[in-house]
Amino acid sequence: MSVELNAKCKAWRKANPEKVKAISYKYALANREKLNTSSKLWVKNNPEKAKARTRAWRKANPKRNKELCLKKYGITLEDYNSLFEKQGKRCAICKNNVPRGNKWCMDHDHNSNLVRGILCNSCNAILGYATDNIEVLSQAIQYLKRYDMAKTE
């Protein structure tokens, strides 16, 4: 391609952003698998750049990032805010209003994907390490009680 033609193409693209967007969208729909494969390959070959891009996008789009995260649980940002409000804007387990571990987590049943509540990162980790097993958590409570009783005797 000649330099002159290249300059004309760039000028046209700059002058017609909506048309460029429509053409790009149509191409993406028609070539989704090809683009996904290409993208995955680039991420594999450029892991640090990919992480940096993701971090930058999340920082620049916090609301959209939150919406995308909630989408996998089948709830909207409004649903999330309503649930958090019902919990008193606190962790459903420890009742702290400031998240231990610096973030709030969507607790969900890993089999059904149904949302149970919003937890601080620390409480969410407790359930995760116990693999949501009530028996393991009950045994952990009994263990702590035995130690606590031995301490007071």
Side-chain angles (χ1 to χ4, degrees):
M1 184 183 284
S2 73
V3 174
E4 187 178 307
L5 183 59
N6 193 17
K8 284 182 181 181
C9 288
K10 283 185 179 182
W12 184 87
R13 290 175 68 85
K14 190 172 183 177
N16 298 285
E18 290 304 316
K19 286 183 180 179
V20 170
K21 187 175 181 179
I23 292 167
S24 296
Y25 181 73
K26 189 175 178 181
Y27 178 84
L29 285 177
N31 297 282
R32 184 175 299 256
E33 195 169 314
K34 179 181 175 181
L35 291 171
N36 283 343
T37 302
S38 174
S39 179
K40 286 177 185 176
L41 182 62
W42 184 87
V43 168
K44 183 180 178 183
N45 292 333
N46 302 280
E48 293 307 314
K49 286 182 182 179
K51 286 177 190 174
R53 272 188 184 178
T54 299
R55 273 190 235 106
W57 185 88
R58 286 178 178 165
K59 188 174 183 179
N61 302 281
K63 185 177 179 188
R64 184 70 182 124
N65 182 52
K66 183 87 168 171
E67 289 169 347
L68 289 172
C69 290
L70 296 175
K71 187 177 179 182
K72 66 182 170 186
Y73 303 116
I75 68 169
T76 64
L77 190 55
E78 291 77 26
D79 296 333
Y80 174 89
N81 290 334
S82 175
L83 176 60
F84 201 42
E85 190 72 39
K86 285 178 189 170
Q87 288 182 200
K89 294 187 177 183
R90 299 174 177 278
C91 173
I93 293 177
C94 70
K95 307 300 182 199
N96 282 333
N97 62 353
V98 176
R100 294 180 302 142
N102 291 331
K103 71 176 186 174
W104 295 109
C105 299
M106 182 63 63
D107 178 43
H108 64 286
D109 182 297
H110 288 258
N111 295 320
S112 67
N113 219 33
L114 291 175
V115 172
R116 295 186 288 217
I118 299 169
L119 306 177
C120 69
N121 194 50
S122 296
C123 290
N124 190 54
I126 290 169
L127 295 183
Y129 288 131
T131 61
D132 295 340
N133 186 318
I134 294 170
E135 185 61 34
V136 169
L137 293 168
S138 295
Q139 289 173 5
I141 291 167
Q142 293 305 313
Y143 171 81
L144 289 172
K145 284 181 177 179
R146 280 195 309 271
Y147 177 77
D148 196 46
M149 290 170 71
K151 193 169 63 172
T152 58
E153 293 175 353

